């Protein structure tokens, strides 16, 4: 079962998400929060697999709550999916930097919401279908002078190649096809890279790749 925590200051929004998700046999709702502070507290209490959280809430907002969760080693397995009203919300890149696994627009179709929860639970990077892969590159391009990260020196040539493709938004299957590997081997490479770089998930790999100058916006076009 995928254990989900809902965080939104609008009760009707939470009720809508609960109704959609509870119809699925593999999803259960473990709690609801009306602000970021409560979301963090409930995350510590219930240790959900996925936290669906509005980015704009009174008091502690979704960004700060995501930062607190990312900074807590006990919550390393909690995947935060930020909910936003607008596709090009300026907070999106900040959410990824804060430790969010990905983001969704609030008017996402029910089937897309369900799929998003499953993707996030696996630890894969998540981008709403209405937001293109290039969006991450657009915000990452705001980094004026990328600084080389010494942790990248510990990667093998193959691992750097895989990380570049992760930064381009490719899935394990797509990486496998591009490099002529088995999907299982591609997955193993990604897992080893995340372990070496001490990052939570694929979204954090994307951010690190851009901020370190490993890749630049639009390189995969």
């Amino acid at each position: 079962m995928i254990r989900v925590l809902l965080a939104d200051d609008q009760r009707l929004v939470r009720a809508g998400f609960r109704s959609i998700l509870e119809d699925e046999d593999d999803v259960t709702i473990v709690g609801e929060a009306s602000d970021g502070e409560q979301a963090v507290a409930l995350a510590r209490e219930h240790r959900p697999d996925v936290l669906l959280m509005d980015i704009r809430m009174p008091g502690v907002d979704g960004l700060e709550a995501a930062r607190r969760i990312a900074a807590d080693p006990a919550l390393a397995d909690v995947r935060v999916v930020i909910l936003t009203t607008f596709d090009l919300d300026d907070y999106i890149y900040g959410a990824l930097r804060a430790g969010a696994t990905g983001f969704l627009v609030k008017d996402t179709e029910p089937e897309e919401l369900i799929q998003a929860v499953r993707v996030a639970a696996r630890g894969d990077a998540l981008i709403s279908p209405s937001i293109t892969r290039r969006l991450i590159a657009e915000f990452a391009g705001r980094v004026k002078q990328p600084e080389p990260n010494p942790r990248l020196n510990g990667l093998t040539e193959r691992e750097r190649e895989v990380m570049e493709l992760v930064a381009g938004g490719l899935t394990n299957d797509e990486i496998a096809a591009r490099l002529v590997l088995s999907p299982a081997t591609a997955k193993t490479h990604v897992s080893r890279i995340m372990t070496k770089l001490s990052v939570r998930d694929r979204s954090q790999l994307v951010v690190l790749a851009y901020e370190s100058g490993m890749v630049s916006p639009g390189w995969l076009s």
Side-chain angles (χ1 to χ4, degrees), residues 38-55:
Q38 187 179 21
V40 174
L42 290 178
R44 288 172 176 155
E45 178 182 352
H46 297 291
R47 307 292 174 85
D49 299 303
V50 178
L51 168 54
L52 287 177
M53 181 160 57
D54 188 13
I55 199 167

Side-chain angles (χ1 to χ4, degrees), residues 16 41 76 81 125 129 139 146 161 183 193 198 213:
V81 176
F139 284 95
E161 195 172 12
I193 294 167
S198 300

Side-chain angles (χ1 to χ4, degrees), residues 170-189:
L170 274 65
T171 65
N172 288 342
D173 287 347
E174 291 168 338
I175 291 172
R178 179 72 64 92
L179 300 181
V180 194
L181 304 170
S182 71
T185 299
K187 181 178 180 180
T188 297
H189 279 309

Side-chain angles (χ1 to χ4, degrees), residues 133 158-181 186 190 193 202 205-206 209-210 214-215 219-220:
R133 289 174 174 172
R158 173 61 85 185
E159 287 170 344
R160 291 180 67 91
E161 195 172 12
V162 170
M163 183 171 172
E164 289 173 357
L165 295 177
V166 170
L170 274 65
T171 65
N172 288 342
D173 287 347
E174 291 168 338
I175 291 172
R178 179 72 64 92
L179 300 181
V180 194
L181 304 170
V190 173
I193 294 167
R202 297 171 77 96
L205 279 183
V206 172
Y210 282 109
M214 173 182 279
V215 294
W219 75 278
L220 199 63

Side-chain angles (χ1 to χ4, degrees), residues 7-17 32-35 54 56-58 85 106:
D8 195 294
D9 60 327
Q10 298 182 51
R11 183 178 298 177
L12 286 177
V13 171
R14 299 199 307 270
F17 285 147
E32 296 185 19
S34 58
D35 59 46
D54 188 13
R56 292 169 175 162
M57 293 183 289
T85 304
K106 281 192 173 182

Side-chain angles (χ1 to χ4, degrees), residues 107-158:
D107 60 357
T108 293
E109 294 296 323
E111 58 270 21
E112 293 173 352
L113 173 66
I114 295 165
Q115 178 64 14
V117 167
R118 291 171 178 151
V119 169
R122 293 198 303 265
D124 290 340
L126 174 67
I127 302 176
S128 174
S130 61
I131 302 175
T132 68
R133 289 174 174 172
R134 300 184 190 279
L135 184 58
I136 293 179
E138 175 185 336
F139 284 95
R142 297 181 181 186
V143 179
K144 295 181 180 180
Q145 293 183 319
E147 297 182 3
N149 191 314
R151 287 185 295 170
L152 298 179
N153 296 333
L155 299 181
T156 65
E157 182 176 348
R158 173 61 85 185

